[in-house]
Amino acid sequence: VQDGNAFQVDLFLPDATAKRLYLESQVNEALGYQRVVVIVDKASNAREVEENLREKGFTAFSVASVVERLEGGITAVTVIIAFLTGIALLVAALGIVNTMITSVLERRREIGLWKAVGATNGQIRSVFLLEAGLIGLVGGLAGLLAARLLMIPGETIAAGIIAERAVFPLSTGIFYMPTWLPFAGPLLAVTVAMLASLYPSARAARIDPVRALRHD
């Protein structure tokens, strides 16, 4: 007994000795063996063996079924998180669209001046696409930095909660940042920002320089 929790202890005996000691009890002799541990040769066969035992009328339980249920729960949580992430990306994209359109309206005279000195529609589109890409890059890097900094107190808090409730001490970390994320995160942010700026940049390229220079 440790910290109020009882740990199971397995005692291995010769088959004949174990059977003799077990059947000394009249209850055990009348009921027979109540539990049998079945060891499979491969982990992939555990699920099939469990189903076969249930078909024979036994109550079967295996780690494979627990892992399957856990994977189902993790999959559901992953889908929910992915859905919320998609909504966050959509909101961010709409924010970039609104920001870029506002920038185009405020810089009509500037855009008209660019066209007056010979800037092409493609060059103007490129300017706004580049600005949007820089916004996405800065936002992606800032998000990664914030996540990395929040992992430090989050790791301490989560480890403390688990240590209070778990039987065995936790030897691994709670939060994990994959090596590909620092590259894929900013790249995704830049891509979303540039896609969101396609309409504002096209609108900027269509501005009439004569009307823009007359605009107050």
Side-chain angles (χ1 to χ4, degrees):
V1 178
Q2 178 179 345
D3 297 333
N5 298 309
F7 291 89
Q8 176 180 340
V9 177
D10 295 326
L11 180 61
F12 295 92
L13 299 172
D15 181 67
T17 304
K19 184 175 181 179
R20 178 176 57 81
L21 293 175
Y22 183 79
L23 295 179
E24 283 183 355
S25 170
Q26 295 181 354
V27 176
N28 292 341
E29 186 176 4
L31 298 177
Y33 296 104
Q34 301 179 21
R35 182 183 305 170
V36 175
V37 177
V38 179
I39 300 177
V40 297
D41 54 350
K42 295 181 180 179
S44 58
N45 296 331
R47 184 63 178 173
E48 181 181 356
V49 173
E50 180 183 358
E51 293 176 354
N52 291 336
L53 290 174
R54 288 181 178 177
E55 291 176 359
K56 296 180 182 298
F58 296 103
T59 300
F61 171 82
S62 70
V63 177
S65 59
V66 176
V67 172
E68 185 176 338
R69 287 193 292 268
L70 288 176
E71 289 179 347
I74 292 174
T75 300
V77 173
T78 302
V79 171
I80 295 174
I81 293 176
F83 177 73
L84 295 176
T85 303
I87 293 178
L89 283 175
L90 178 61
V91 172
L94 292 177
I96 293 174
V97 170
N98 181 66
T99 301
M100 297 303 295
I101 290 178
T102 303
S103 177
V104 169
L105 294 176
E106 293 177 349
R107 298 164 63 182
R108 287 175 59 90
R109 292 179 61 85
E110 182 181 346
I111 296 171
L113 182 60
W114 289 349
K115 284 195 169 185
V117 297
T120 63
N121 292 344
Q123 291 173 335
I124 293 176
R125 280 195 298 268
S126 299
V127 169
F128 284 92
L129 287 173
L130 179 60
E131 289 183 2
L134 291 175
I135 292 175
L137 179 62
V138 173
L141 293 175
L144 279 173
L145 179 61
R148 191 67 185 89
L149 293 176
L150 289 174
M151 285 173 61
I152 299 174
E155 186 79 25
T156 303
I157 296 173
I161 295 175
I162 294 177
E164 292 178 357
R165 301 182 180 181
V167 176
F168 298 98
L170 184 68
S171 59
T172 59
I174 307 297
F175 297 97
Y176 170 71
M177 181 176 290
T179 55
W180 54 265
L181 187 59
F183 303 97
L187 179 61
L188 177 63
V190 171
T191 302
V192 172
M194 295 186 72
L195 289 176
S197 67
L198 288 177
Y199 171 72
S201 62
R203 182 171 178 175
R206 292 196 301 266
I207 290 179
D208 185 354
V210 177
R211 292 183 178 179
L213 291 174
R214 290 178 180 177
H215 178 72
D216 294 328

